[in-house]
Amino acid sequence: MKRRLCFMGATTSSRAMGATTSSSVTQSGEPIFFLPPDILEEIFLNLPPHVVVCVCRLVCHQWKEVADMESFWRERCRREGYHVHDASKVPSDWRLFYFLCKKRRNLLKNPRGEDKFQDWTIVQNGGDRWKVEGLMVPHPNEKVQKNFVTSYGTCIKSQTIDLGKEGYSPSFMDKFQPPIRISDWYAPRWDCGSEYSITVQLLDRKNVVLQTFTPDTVYFPQWNDQQWHQMTHVFKDYGPGVRYIKFFHGGKDTQFWAGWYGIRVTDSCVEICPALDTDH
C-alpha cells in the first residue's frame, strides 16, 4: 500500500518522491513532507507576507524556523526594494523593518487640498476664511499643485489619525513604539508678511495628551522670496499608550489685508517609519 505524503495541500506517493525524501507524521497521523530550508525559503518568498506569518509559520517547527529567519526577511526587503539608506546601520529586526517599510504611507488624508477641505476640521476660520488655491511658486515635489491659504484672521485646521483603524494595533504600538515622523510645507506671499504655526499631539485612548510637538511660531516679513520651507519632527521613545495623533497647523497674514495673503500650507505628512529611515 502506497503511503501518501502531504505538502501545502497536495498529495503524492512516497515512491513518486524518491528514496531521498524525508517525512514525518503529525499528531493526527497525517504525514508532512519536509523540504530543504533554502527551497522552503524560496517558496515563502513568493507568498504574501501575511500568509507566511499567520499561516505558514504555524504549520510545524521547520516552517516556523524558516519564517522567522533574519536572512529570509532581509532577502524579502532586498527583493521588494526596502533599503537601509545608511549602509553603516543594520536593522536589529529585519521582519519589523520589512513590515514598517511595507505599511509606510502618509496617514493624513487630503494633504494638498485636492479635495478642498474634506477630512479636515476647521478649528479657526478668521478673516476671509481658509481657501484652496494653485501654487504661486513651484513646490519641490512636482506632484503638488495646490495649497491651503490663510487670511488676515487666524486660520487653524486639524485632523485626527486613529492608529488602530490605520492598521497599527495597540500591542504593536506599545511594544515597538515605532518612530512617528511629522512633515509640513509652508510658504509666504512675497508681498505680505505672515506667520505659520504647527502643533502635533500624541493621545491615548481617552484622548489624554501624552506628548506634544509645538515649535515657535515662524514669522515672515513683507517682501520675501516666497519660497517653500519644510517643518519636520520625529517622535521617538514616547512610551506605551499612544492610540491617536492629532495634527494642527495654520497661521495668518500680518498686514491685515482683505483676501488671502496669509501663510500657505500643503503636502503635510504623518507616517510611521523604520527607526533607521527617519531622516528621509
Side-chain angles (χ1 to χ4, degrees):
M1 181 177 179
K2 297 179 180 179
R3 184 172 62 177
R4 308 294 291 177
L5 298 180
C6 174
F7 174 63
M8 296 184 72
T11 59
T12 184
S13 67
S14 58
R15 180 180 300 173
M17 296 304 301
T20 59
T21 300
S22 62
S23 63
S24 183
V25 178
T26 65
Q27 292 181 350
S28 64
E30 187 72 21
I32 299 176
F33 170 52
F34 287 90
L35 286 173
D38 56 338
I39 295 178
L40 192 57
E41 180 177 340
E42 185 62 32
I43 293 172
F44 285 1
L45 286 167
N46 286 279
L47 293 174
H50 68 277
V51 172
V52 175
V53 172
C54 299
V55 179
C56 295
R57 71 185 300 275
L58 305 180
V59 171
C60 64
H61 289 299
Q62 187 207 23
W63 288 27
K64 180 180 183 299
E65 289 177 0
V66 173
D68 289 345
M69 289 193 306
E70 288 289 294
S71 60
F72 169 76
W73 294 103
R74 184 171 61 247
E75 176 63 13
R76 187 132 203 165
C77 287
R78 187 192 70 79
R79 293 192 185 189
E80 297 188 28
Y82 301 140
H83 304 295
V84 178
H85 291 279
D86 186 344
S88 66
K89 298 180 180 179
V90 179
S92 59
D93 186 330
W94 278 96
R95 180 169 62 178
L96 176 61
F97 180 80
Y98 171 82
F99 279 105
L100 284 174
C101 287
K102 193 171 187 65
K103 290 173 68 67
R104 186 174 183 175
R105 66 196 188 281
N106 188 359
L107 301 178
L108 287 175
K109 308 294 191 299
N110 187 28
R112 305 169 185 170
E114 294 163 338
D115 297 315
K116 304 246 183 227
F117 292 96
Q118 182 177 321
D119 298 305
W120 291 96
T121 297
I122 303 300
V123 179
Q124 290 183 254
N125 221 6
D128 286 323
R129 303 186 174 191
W130 280 98
K131 186 180 180 183
V132 175
E133 291 183 347
L135 306 182
M136 294 192 70
V137 294
H139 190 276
N141 180 355
E142 61 182 17
K143 293 181 180 179
V144 178
Q145 296 298 318
K146 292 186 177 181
N147 53 214
F148 300 96
V149 189
T150 61
S151 188
Y152 61 87
T154 300
C155 294
I156 301 292
K157 59 186 178 69
S158 72
Q159 193 170 144
T160 301
I161 298 167
D162 184 329
L163 292 169
K165 290 183 178 179
E166 295 296 336
Y168 297 96
S169 68
S171 59
F172 175 85
M173 293 301 299
D174 291 349
K175 179 179 180 180
F176 295 108
Q177 297 174 37
I180 300 172
R181 184 176 185 273
I182 310 300
S183 171
D184 199 25
W185 288 89
Y186 57 100
R189 275 183 65 111
W190 68 279
D191 57 352
C192 185
S194 60
E195 61 182 62
Y196 162 81
S197 64
I198 180 174
T199 296
V200 184
Q201 300 171 331
L202 304 185
L203 311 174
D204 68 9
R205 63 184 181 86
K206 294 183 177 180
N207 287 310
V208 174
V209 177
L210 301 178
Q211 203 168 122
T212 302
F213 169 63
T214 309
D216 293 338
T217 299
V218 179
Y219 296 94
F220 290 94
Q222 189 178 20
W223 314 121
N224 57 77
D225 60 8
Q226 71 178 16
Q227 293 302 303
W228 288 100
H229 301 262
Q230 186 181 27
M231 177 69 73
T232 61
H233 177 73
V234 179
F235 288 101
K236 298 179 180 179
D237 303 321
Y238 40 79
V242 174
R243 302 293 178 264
Y244 303 95
I245 304 171
K246 195 157 191 176
F247 182 102
F248 300 84
H249 68 168
K252 63 177 182 177
D253 81 51
T254 55
Q255 310 297 125
F256 299 97
W257 290 353
W260 297 272
Y261 292 84
I263 202 72
R264 289 154 154 67
V265 292
T266 192
D267 208 24
S268 310
C269 184
V270 174
E271 56 187 347
I272 307 295
C273 54
L276 300 178
D277 199 28
T278 53
D279 296 326
H280 300 271

